[in-house]
Amino acid sequence: LRHILTRDLAYGKETMSPDQGAQLSSAFLEQVGADAEFLTNLTGPLVGDVSWQPLSQATFDAGVVAVGASSAFMLWVEDED
């Protein structure tokens, strides 16, 4: 979650500070609760040979869906080459 917030998907350049990414990630996780299940379209490591199943028509996209007992949240990012 923090990685997709802090790095651009096309080139891996920093898009926000690691502290900002950690704060946003924590805020997201607080909303879904400890019992949440998490889903993503990414497979493999987040650096190097990563693969994914796109949700959008963007060149790159990545995200996390969190499903809790009483709510669901989705964080999705897109990038173009």
Side-chain angles (χ1 to χ4, degrees):
L1 184 59
R2 190 175 349 174
H3 183 82
I4 65 173
L5 288 170
T6 60
R7 298 281 172 187
D8 101 4
L9 299 176
Y11 300 105
K13 293 183 181 179
E14 189 174 277
T15 57
M16 69 174 64
S17 74
D19 287 343
Q20 287 175 303
Q23 288 174 344
L24 288 173
S25 295
S26 292
F28 179 85
L29 295 173
E30 286 173 14
Q31 295 300 311
V32 297
D35 64 336
E37 291 187 44
F38 296 89
L39 307 159
T40 184
N41 67 326
L42 299 171
T43 59
L46 292 178
V47 178
D49 192 20
V50 64
S51 63
W52 69 96
Q53 294 295 316
L55 179 70
S56 70
Q57 293 184 355
T59 303
F60 304 99
D61 71 357
V64 175
V65 176
V67 181
S70 61
S71 61
F73 292 86
M74 180 170 141
L75 182 127
W76 216 263
V77 296
E78 297 179 342
D79 203 358
E80 294 294 339
D81 190 9

